[in-house]
């Protein structure tokens, strides 16, 4: 039986929050294991030196050293960069700034990153859910017609969890068609794994394109929670109005500035080359395995596949191997494997081999 306080909270909650299904992150599942390949984290770790700046003072809301370093890295002007608490805050800022509650909508292409939906639901903004197939295969006029009157159109590129990639020409054409009616938000959390496909170069010609970036993936700083929203100043000016007064801590700014040094960017790129090579090896193993029905070809530091039998996931857990199960296309036998280091991927190979060994062959007879 609930307390009176429980009833009070429920009475005060807006309906959209009471009905909200929170985002379930890989780390929220409270699993146990020894090898973690479920959250698209980098296997690399680097030590950073803290400067010992006085923490009794509030930080620079937008640390200029970091803004300048990131603008140099991506090739835009500093005034085209807003630093946020992960790219997730950029998503939330865009919805909160440009969408009116109970009136406006956003468009997404499912299956895709779950925080677009959660953010829309949180702000009581309608969701126009279109398909990845439409985005990848449809004509631009068809896509934009189905987008309807959505204020924001989110394109996760490369897409999570499928790895699918939309070309720059198509993004540009969609932005041109939606000029004056919608912002095209290109979420590039995984773009360092295919940097030549970035939409950042389109900012010069399309005022309604926004690019979201993060240091969580290729830069191996998932624990720092640092992201960037890139756009023209006409878009960023209203975002700055609603941004929290001090969104970036002194410690975070200090580490981010170090991560964006010339030497560390070069190190990140070498690590990306290694991870891309390891990913190719993993894809080969998966394609050759009798335990796997389908492997999605795509970009990013992960591979998504369909298993012949989802009981294979339980076997992985028994071996201490934690990967991310998904329900995709109405089927619950999908799995996303983050690209770990060589030793971690050898454990994936051992798991795959165990699935089709003499003890488990019966699982996969069809």
């Amino acid at each position: 039986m609930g307390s009176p306080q429980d009833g009070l909270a429920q009475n005060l909650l807006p309906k959209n929050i009471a009905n909200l299904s929170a985002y379930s992150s890989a780390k929220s599942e409270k699993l146990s294991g020894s090898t973690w390949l479920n959250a698209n984290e980098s296997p690399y770790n680097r030590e950073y030196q803290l400067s010992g700046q006085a923490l009794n003072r509030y930080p620079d809301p937008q640390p200029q050293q970091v803004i300048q370093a990131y603008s140099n890295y991506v090739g835009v002007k500093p005034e085209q960069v807003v630093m946020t608490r992960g790219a997730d805050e950029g998503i939330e800022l865009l919805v909160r700034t440009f969408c009116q509650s109970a009136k406006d909508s956003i468009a997404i292409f499912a299956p895709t990153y779950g925080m677009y939906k959660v953010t829309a639901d949180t702000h009581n903004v309608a969701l126009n859910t279109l398909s990845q197939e439409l985005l990848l295969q449809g004509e631009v006029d068809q896509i934009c017609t189905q987008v309807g009157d959505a204020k924001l159109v989110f394109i996760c590129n490369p897409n999570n969890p499928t790895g699918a990639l939309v070309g720059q020409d198509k993004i540009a054409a969609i932005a041109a068609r939606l000029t004056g009616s919608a912002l095209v938000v290109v979420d590039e959390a995984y773009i360092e794994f295919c940097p030549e496909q970035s939409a950042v170069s389109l900012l010069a010609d399309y005022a309604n394109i926004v690019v979201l970036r993060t240091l969580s993936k290729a830069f191996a700083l998932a624990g720092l929670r640092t992201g960037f929203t890139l756009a023209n100043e006409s878009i960023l000016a209203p975002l700055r109005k609603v941004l929290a007064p001090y969104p970036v801590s002194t410690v975070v700014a200090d580490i981010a500035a170090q991560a964006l040094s010339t030497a560390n960017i070069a190190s990140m790129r070498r690590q990306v080359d290694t991870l891309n090579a390891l990913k190719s090896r993993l894809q080969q193993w998966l394609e050759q395995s009798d335990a796997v029905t389908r492997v999605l070809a795509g970009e990013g530091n992960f591979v998504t596949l369909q298993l012949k039998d989802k009981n294979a996931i339980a076997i992985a857990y028994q071996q201490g191997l934690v990967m991310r199960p998904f329900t995709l296309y109405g089927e619950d036998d999908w799995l996303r494997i983050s690209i770990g280091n060589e030793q971690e991927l050898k454990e994936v190979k051992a798991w795959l081999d165990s699935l089709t060994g003499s003890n488990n062959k019966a699982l996969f007879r069809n």
Side-chain angles (χ1 to χ4, degrees):
M1 184 174 179
S3 67
Q5 288 84 354
D6 293 336
L8 176 62
Q10 289 300 316
N11 289 337
L12 293 176
L13 276 179
K15 185 176 180 180
N16 64 301
I17 301 299
N19 296 333
L20 180 68
S21 294
Y23 178 69
S24 177
S25 69
K27 290 301 179 74
S28 68
E29 296 173 3
K30 306 299 182 185
L31 299 169
S32 60
S34 55
T35 301
W36 297 88
L37 300 176
N38 63 331
N40 295 346
E41 299 158 325
S42 173
Y44 303 110
N45 189 30
R46 180 187 300 277
E47 291 188 2
Y48 292 92
Q49 300 299 316
L50 299 182
S51 65
Q53 296 180 46
L55 296 180
N56 60 312
R57 303 297 182 187
Y58 285 111
D60 184 345
Q62 290 290 291
Q64 289 307 303
Q65 184 180 4
V66 181
I67 297 295
Q68 184 65 60
Y70 201 79
S71 66
N72 291 343
Y73 166 61
V74 296
V76 299
K77 299 175 183 177
E79 55 266 30
Q80 292 178 290
V81 181
V82 165
M83 188 176 180
T84 58
R85 290 166 288 197
D88 289 338
E89 186 178 28
I91 296 168
E92 197 273 339
L93 278 172
L94 288 163
V95 173
R96 183 152 55 101
T97 302
F98 289 98
C99 296
Q100 293 185 58
S101 177
K103 178 181 177 182
D104 291 327
S105 65
I106 69 168
I108 64 172
F109 300 91
T112 193
Y113 182 42
M115 276 306 295
Y116 310 137
K117 180 183 187 307
V118 171
T119 304
D121 290 345
T122 299
H123 292 280
N124 199 21
V125 169
L127 192 68
N128 181 5
T129 302
L130 307 173
S131 70
Q132 277 285 312
E133 182 180 11
L134 172 66
L135 178 62
L136 297 171
Q137 307 297 333
E139 297 295 329
V140 170
D141 282 348
Q142 180 188 15
I143 293 168
C144 294
T145 296
Q146 293 197 36
V147 160
D149 58 359
K151 282 278 193 75
L152 304 173
V153 179
F154 284 92
I155 299 176
C156 190
N157 205 44
N159 186 51
N160 176 21
T162 65
L165 191 70
V166 183
Q168 292 171 323
D169 289 347
K170 194 164 197 177
I171 291 172
I174 291 171
R177 177 75 160 68
L178 295 176
T179 297
S181 63
L183 299 182
V184 178
V185 184
V186 187
D187 186 343
E188 294 188 342
Y190 300 93
I191 202 64
E192 274 82 10
F193 297 94
C194 50
E196 69 283 353
Q197 299 293 336
S198 176
V200 168
S201 62
L202 301 177
L203 295 177
D205 297 316
Y206 300 92
N208 62 329
I209 287 181
V210 181
V211 177
L212 299 176
R213 291 287 196 94
T214 183
L215 298 187
S216 294
K217 310 303 181 186
F219 278 91
L221 285 171
L224 198 65
R225 305 308 302 127
T226 298
F228 299 90
T229 300
L230 314 177
N232 290 295
E233 182 59 18
S234 61
I235 301 299
L236 295 185
L239 258 65
R240 297 181 198 276
K241 290 182 181 181
V242 300
L243 189 64
Y246 302 103
V248 181
S249 78
T250 300
V251 174
V252 166
D254 193 354
I255 295 173
Q258 295 175 56
L260 291 166
S261 70
T262 300
N264 281 338
I265 289 173
S267 175
M268 176 273 292
R269 287 172 172 153
R270 289 192 297 270
Q271 291 171 358
V272 164
D273 288 342
T274 299
L275 291 172
N276 280 341
L278 289 171
K279 176 181 176 178
S280 294
R281 191 186 308 176
L282 174 61
Q283 285 175 315
Q284 279 188 327
W285 293 342
L286 294 169
E287 288 165 357
Q288 293 167 0
S289 174
D290 291 336
V292 176
T293 301
R294 182 181 175 193
V295 180
L296 297 185
E299 305 295 336
N301 65 336
F302 58 88
V303 179
T304 300
L305 58 127
Q306 187 175 30
L307 293 159
K308 282 190 177 177
D309 192 314
K310 67 178 181 180
N311 289 326
I313 299 170
I315 295 171
Y317 289 154
Q318 291 168 8
Q319 297 175 3
L321 184 58
V322 182
M323 299 168 287
R324 188 80 189 270
F326 275 96
T327 296
L328 291 181
Y329 311 114
E331 299 175 304
D332 64 355
D333 50 6
W334 288 85
L335 187 68
R336 190 190 67 196
I337 306 176
S338 305
I339 305 304
N341 60 34
E342 189 163 5
Q343 179 55 44
E344 289 170 332
L345 292 190
K346 284 181 179 177
E347 293 180 38
V348 175
K349 180 66 162 59
W351 164 70
L352 283 170
D353 291 345
S354 76
L355 296 178
T356 51
S358 57
N359 291 335
N360 290 317
K361 277 184 178 177
L363 281 175
F364 307 107
R365 286 181 189 150
N366 288 317

